[in-house]
Amino acid sequence: MSDEVKRFFTSILNKVNGLNCVLISDRDGVPLLKLSKDNKFPELGTKQSFLSTFSIATVQSSKMMLGKNKQIILCYKSSTIVQLNKAPLIITFVGTESTNIGHLLTYANEVDKYLEEYKIVLEQNLI
Amino acid sequence: MESKLDNVLDSMMQTENTIGVLIADNQGLSYGTRGVANSQAGGLITAIADQAAKIHPNLDAPVIILETENTSVTISKYGFHTGAIYKRKSQSKK
């Protein structure tokens, strides 16, 4: 199963223009899976403090009476970060400023079926 | 603010046999769609245009036409924008 997850996210890395790195972490920002194109992980977007900030941001943005927050897209001068809210998991994609965000988001709905294993392990550890 | 873009999309839809129009930015995010065009397709259409442009990187981005049995999709990249026009194939007169 884990190999299947790796294969799925590696295929996203190879297909989406500009994408460099994928991270699956829990809501505290502890990484469970880290994948990158050249085994280099950009400092921005992979730090635990950065990842855990998303948990706060997604909770706050869900209070705007617009429904539950699903994803947050961050566009910086030299990088793009897309974070998906798959509670209790956070999926973080880090890429260059020209990353094809639209293409990346087409995979957002497919991600769920590959995360069941991680969700079960996390829920067992939380009890 | 986007009235000019809306006008462009509407006028493109007036063209004969056109059933859908999409305009997306460089990051694959749709600015607007009309007809059968799905806003989620913006990413894929931009990706197709980017990949095709890599064939001859020294030349201008090519126009790509995807043909199916009943429909054709014409994709064109201009600067930071990518456009797609969905057309129904005209029936040949007997």
Side-chain angles (χ1 to χ4, degrees):
Chain A
M1 179 67 187
S2 184
D3 282 348
E4 211 177 307
V5 178
K6 270 188 190 172
R7 253 200 310 274
F8 172 71
F9 283 104
T10 307
S11 77
I12 295 180
L13 267 176
N14 293 328
K15 281 178 193 167
V16 177
N17 272 347
L19 188 62
N20 290 327
C21 160
V22 183
L23 264 130
I24 301 177
S25 60
D26 70 357
R27 62 186 168 196
D28 299 318
V30 179
L32 304 172
L33 179 72
K34 282 170 99 174
L35 291 168
S36 86
K37 262 184 186 167
D38 46 9
N39 279 327
K40 285 178 189 166
F41 294 92
E43 199 182 335
L44 176 72
T46 57
K47 277 199 294 189
Q48 190 179 344
S49 57
F50 179 89
L51 294 170
S52 60
T53 307
F54 173 77
S55 300
I56 303 161
T58 194
V59 168
Q60 292 303 324
S61 49
S62 295
K63 292 177 184 173
M64 292 199 289
M65 310 294 279
L66 294 167
K68 190 184 160 197
N69 176 253
K70 291 199 292 186
Q71 65 221 12
I72 295 179
I73 301 166
L74 304 149
C75 297
Y76 294 104
K77 195 178 174 185
S78 61
S79 64
T80 303
I81 298 169
V82 178
Q83 292 186 298
L84 308 179
N85 178 16
K86 300 288 178 190
L89 297 165
I90 303 168
I91 317 296
T92 307
F93 297 97
V94 186
T96 62
E97 72 277 14
S98 60
T99 304
N100 191 333
I101 301 168
H103 193 190
L104 183 56
L105 293 180
T106 58
Y107 295 107
N109 297 329
E110 287 179 44
V111 166
D112 288 286
K113 61 183 173 194
Y114 292 95
L115 298 177
E116 285 308 312
E117 187 189 12
Y118 287 96
K119 283 184 182 176
I120 291 165
V121 172
L122 263 182
E123 278 159 13
Q124 282 172 347
N125 288 337
L126 288 172
I127 294 167
Chain B
M1 194 178 80
E2 63 272 20
S3 59
K4 278 186 183 173
L5 178 73
D6 284 334
N7 289 340
V8 170
L9 289 167
D10 289 334
S11 67
M12 285 166 90
M13 277 300 283
Q14 301 303 317
T15 321
E16 202 185 345
N17 291 328
T18 301
I19 53 170
V21 180
L22 179 147
I23 297 177
D25 72 356
N26 221 16
Q27 293 183 308
L29 300 169
S30 297
Y31 282 140
T33 57
R34 290 288 185 278
V36 299
N38 183 344
S39 63
Q40 287 203 324
L44 284 166
I45 281 166
T46 307
I48 290 168
D50 286 341
Q51 292 299 326
K54 285 177 189 169
I55 298 171
H56 293 294
N58 299 328
L59 301 176
D60 287 344
V63 174
I64 305 131
I65 302 173
L66 305 173
E67 285 195 344
T68 63
E69 211 169 304
N70 306 316
T71 320
S72 74
V73 184
T74 307
I75 301 169
S76 175
K77 192 176 166 73
Y78 186 80
F80 291 109
H81 308 106
T82 305
I85 303 171
Y86 295 66
K87 284 198 174 215
R88 188 186 301 112
K89 279 189 182 172
S90 54
Q91 300 293 317
S92 55
K93 287 172 188 168
K94 286 179 184 173

